[in-house]
Amino acid sequence: MKKILIISIMTLTILTGCGNNEVDKEYEAKVGEIQDQVVSTKEIPDFTISIMGLKDDTLTQEDIKDLTVYDFIVDVPIYDLDPSSEVYREKWTGIKISDVLNKKGITDYDSLDFKSTGNITVTYTKEEVSDKLYLVFYRNDIALSETEDTAVMLLAANLKTRYWVPSLVRIDVK
């Protein structure tokens, strides 16, 4: 009887281990897509971004307080140039850069340079500036001011590279 019990337990253990070869994914990654977008109730924090070039101005939370703020999900690859890279999912809160540009009257330009505190500059052509380019203020429900040098960063969910500019301080309009 003891032998049968031991053999049964071993068989059950082996069958259970062999039957679970596939790793269950929590979600199907959708890199480059804005997912589960809803209007947010979060407040836009205090910030100032200098606008220079074809138009000289500043952008503050007061300028955009009447624009729609969104919560949304974005899947981001760990290594953006490796198509087989692992992907992680993050929740963001922000506003569409196209709404900001319209609000500030910036419509005639060829490209925009977004500059960070760390001397990072990323250029987006007018064709790349779409409704998938956001100024974001929260990452996973935590204010960026708690983790970054500034309260705002740029997120380009649809691009394979250059998909964010942390600690945004300046936009050059060219």
Side-chain angles (χ1 to χ4, degrees):
M1 183 70 170
K2 217 176 184 184
K3 257 185 181 178
I4 293 174
L5 184 59
I6 292 172
I7 291 173
S8 296
I9 291 173
M10 287 176 53
T11 302
L12 183 59
T13 303
I14 291 171
L15 289 176
T16 304
C18 292
N20 197 12
N21 285 341
E22 284 188 35
V23 176
D24 291 333
K25 262 192 148 179
E26 280 183 45
Y27 57 88
E28 182 180 334
K30 296 178 182 174
V31 175
E33 293 181 31
I34 302 287
Q35 303 169 61
D36 302 333
Q37 184 176 49
V38 296
V39 174
S40 179
T41 58
K42 292 185 184 81
E43 294 202 14
I44 298 173
D46 291 341
F47 73 91
T48 301
I49 296 174
S50 298
I51 299 173
M52 304 185 88
L54 294 177
K55 180 168 184 158
D56 290 339
D57 202 348
T58 58
L59 176 67
T60 68
Q61 73 283 359
E62 283 299 312
D63 296 324
I64 58 173
K65 65 183 176 187
D66 60 335
L67 295 180
T68 303
V69 180
Y70 298 97
D71 289 326
F72 55 93
I73 304 288
V74 175
D75 294 334
V76 180
I78 291 175
Y79 301 108
D80 56 351
L81 298 177
D82 180 4
S84 63
S85 176
E86 210 174 311
V87 174
Y88 60 96
R89 177 166 281 185
E90 296 201 316
K91 180 180 177 185
W92 298 91
T93 301
I95 56 175
K96 295 177 182 179
I97 193 73
S98 56
D99 291 346
V100 173
L101 295 173
N102 287 333
K103 178 82 176 179
K104 293 302 262 182
I106 302 171
T107 56
D108 190 24
Y109 63 94
D110 292 324
S111 64
L112 300 172
D113 286 354
F114 293 88
K115 299 182 178 217
S116 78
T117 57
N119 294 324
I120 295 172
T121 299
V122 179
T123 301
Y124 296 91
T125 64
K126 189 170 188 171
E127 292 76 30
E128 291 174 318
V129 176
S130 71
D131 280 348
K132 292 187 178 185
L133 198 65
Y134 285 80
L135 291 181
V136 292
F137 310 100
Y138 296 87
R139 184 181 197 171
N140 298 322
D141 293 323
I142 298 171
L144 291 177
S145 58
E146 295 180 28
T147 60
E148 301 289 331
D149 292 338
T150 68
V152 62
M153 70 186 285
L154 181 83
L155 176 70
N158 62 325
L159 299 180
K160 292 185 178 178
T161 60
R162 303 176 295 129
Y163 46 79
W164 59 45
V165 179
S167 303
L168 188 61
V169 292
R170 189 167 126 189
I171 301 171
D172 289 350
V173 181
K174 297 180 175 184

